[in-house]
Amino acid sequence: MATIIFQPTEACNASCAYCYVVHKESRVTKTASVETLELLFVRINEFLADRPNDRMGLVWHGGEPLILGPAYFEAAIDFQGKHCPKTSARIRHAIQSNLTLLTGDLVRILKKLGVTTVGSSCDPFTDLRGLGRPADAAEYHRRYLDGLELLKREGMGCGIIYVVTKPALGKALEIFHHLTGLNVSGPIDFNPVMIHDGGPGHLGITAEEFTTFLGAIFPVWWRDRSRYPDVGPFTPLVRNLLGEDRKLSCRDSGRCADLYLNLGPDGRLSHCNRSCESGLLDYGTIREKTLAQALADPGRNVLRERSRILFEGECRGCRFWSLCHGGCPVEAWHETGSFLHKSSMCAARKDLIERYVEPAIHEGGRDSSP
Ligand code: SF4
Ligand code: SF4
């Protein structure tokens, strides 16, 4: 299933220290026009109508998408009804939000779109995520918890992405216990912060630091994994190593070349939100290109080639190839100036598996699944 990451707006009510929007040179906030929103559903319909067995994911991303308010989402529902009468059942909506603007009205609309679980981000430990400017971290977290409670009351699920930064190092278990104590039904994912040019370099972490952070959590999660939610990257790694599941995140799957497409607020198509943030892999605009054309853009060839080049080169003979595929190409580009290298998270990946995951699996046997 191809997935469109839709950034309807760069506007946000928060100013998280590592967010690319906050550090952009141009301070003009862009929001997708109603024409672009309508064209998106025209494009989705033509794509799905030509592929009767396919589905399409549509992830509302940002900025903060809920800042657009109920009317914008109602318009999306209307456009989907108008342009996708025979294909709408095959559109899978999802959303990534900071939850701080969630209202009962918006929950009702998200349900209408078919959203069942909301992806969220929170960090009550570092003061790096906050509302307004200067960032108010306490207010962010208070309103985040209100949003989370609302989701629970309404029977909606929630997942959490935690971005690991320098100030979070040394607090791994405290953070893990806090996040799992929120009792979310969706997964909790730990991702290393990605700092772009001009971003706050002092927040960046090394591969080794990321492994140390994860290594502090893994034994605790592993010991009681039946009572914890899925935790990334542990759960997919364990399931893959036990041969129970082949699902991997986009950065590990080696399949991102063909599966993702980002639509920015200005109507520009890029590979994914990360490539868009970095001004890379531009596939034209949604006005001039169909989704099929953008998904077949020759600019993607370098990503397809990357797998072959790494498999025969830098990653040759690596026993973790099927779990990693060299990592995220955009990360590699930031680190080396080329997509055709592995990401520096290689060391973290190997270390995590060899020092923590494999010994636990071998000692624990296969009696209890993650
Ligand atoms: S470029 Fe990186 S972040 Fe974007 S889809 Fe591929 S692996 Fe994921
Ligand atoms: S762990 Fe390193 S060498 Fe192995 S596949 Fe990943 S990036 Fe390549």
Side-chain angles (χ1 to χ4, degrees):
M1 178 176 80
T3 295
I4 300 183
I5 302 151
F6 178 37
Q7 295 180 288
T9 185
E10 289 181 335
C12 186
N13 59 331
S15 53
C16 303
Y18 42 76
C19 175
Y20 87 101
V21 176
V22 173
H23 297 282
K24 266 179 82 158
E25 272 172 32
S26 158
R27 309 296 294 182
V28 182
T29 303
K30 297 186 205 120
T31 294
S33 65
V34 173
E35 290 74 25
T36 299
L37 181 65
E38 179 164 17
L39 185 53
L40 170 60
F41 287 96
V42 172
R43 293 291 194 222
I44 291 175
N45 182 62
E46 65 193 11
F47 183 89
L48 289 176
D50 284 348
R51 294 164 187 77
N53 297 320
D54 270 10
R55 289 167 298 152
M56 176 151 269
L58 179 56
V59 181
W60 294 74
H61 214 279
E64 169 49 50
L66 296 185
I67 205 168
L68 297 169
Y72 198 89
F73 288 88
E74 293 279 18
I77 290 170
D78 288 348
F79 290 141
Q80 181 166 310
K82 178 177 166 191
H83 296 294
C84 312
K86 295 192 178 149
T87 55
S88 66
R90 291 187 279 132
I91 304 171
R92 301 279 182 273
H93 288 267
I95 189 164
Q96 183 68 30
S97 163
N98 64 31
L99 303 190
T100 63
L101 296 168
L102 196 66
T103 61
D105 236 16
L106 282 163
V107 170
R108 180 183 55 78
I109 291 167
L110 293 180
K111 282 183 176 175
K112 248 175 152 178
L113 280 170
V115 175
T116 54
T117 297
V118 178
S120 72
S121 308
C122 84
D123 182 359
F125 290 94
T126 65
D127 288 344
L128 296 177
R129 300 192 71 87
L131 291 185
R133 293 183 193 196
D136 184 340
E139 181 65 2
Y140 181 114
H141 198 56
R142 191 185 66 70
R143 284 170 57 180
Y144 173 86
L145 293 179
D146 288 347
L148 183 57
E149 280 313 305
L150 177 56
L151 284 179
K152 288 181 183 174
R153 274 202 307 280
E154 292 289 336
M156 303 262 292
C158 182
I160 302 175
I161 291 175
Y162 186 88
V163 179
V164 182
T165 56
K166 193 74 122 190
L169 302 176
K171 297 179 185 168
L173 276 180
E174 201 183 339
I175 291 167
F176 173 72
H177 287 307
H178 178 88
L179 296 182
T180 52
L182 295 175
N183 292 318
V184 293
S185 56
I188 296 173
D189 281 298
F190 292 102
N191 291 339
V193 69
M194 196 169 164
I195 306 289
H196 300 290
D197 297 342
H202 64 286
L203 299 180
I205 60 170
T206 63
E208 199 181 357
E209 287 170 329
F210 190 48
T211 310
T212 304
F213 181 93
L214 294 176
I217 297 172
F218 181 81
V220 177
W221 173 80
W222 175 257
R223 207 170 42 240
D224 281 324
R225 60 198 181 280
S226 58
R227 78 177 172 91
Y228 288 128
D230 286 358
V231 170
F234 308 146
T235 305
L237 277 180
V238 168
R239 286 189 178 145
N240 271 271
L241 285 166
L242 291 177
E244 294 170 351
D245 193 350
R246 292 284 162 226
K247 272 196 223 110
L248 289 166
S249 70
C250 66
R251 59 176 92 180
D252 298 331
S253 70
R255 299 181 60 225
C256 89
D258 300 301
L259 296 182
Y260 297 95
L261 183 60
N262 190 88
L263 174 62
D266 52 2
R268 293 213 74 80
L269 296 162
S270 178
H271 182 68
C272 68
N273 53 319
R274 283 191 156 184
S275 64
C276 174
E277 289 165 14
S278 310
L280 300 168
L281 300 168
D282 187 302
Y283 303 143
T285 74
I286 194 166
R287 292 175 287 283
E288 65 202 18
K289 293 270 181 76
T290 65
L291 300 184
Q293 285 169 334
L295 282 163
D297 193 283
R300 290 173 185 268
N301 290 344
V302 66
L303 303 182
R304 297 190 188 105
E305 273 289 277
R306 178 178 191 260
S307 274
R308 186 188 58 75
I309 288 170
L310 291 186
F311 184 73
E312 292 170 2
E314 288 176 6
C315 300
R316 189 186 179 98
C318 175
R319 66 191 182 93
F320 304 127
W321 171 257
S322 65
L323 299 174
C324 171
H325 302 92
C328 168
V330 170
E331 247 167 50
W333 187 91
H334 277 288
E335 291 156 358
T336 68
S338 163
F339 295 118
L340 300 178
H341 291 289
K342 62 185 181 179
S343 127
S344 70
M345 283 296 147
C346 166
R349 175 52 42 94
K350 285 180 172 168
D351 214 19
L352 178 70
I353 299 173
E354 287 179 334
R355 274 169 61 191
Y356 300 98
V357 182
E358 283 184 332
I361 287 175
H362 293 145
E363 273 172 32
R366 293 163 176 256
D367 51 343
S368 47
S369 54

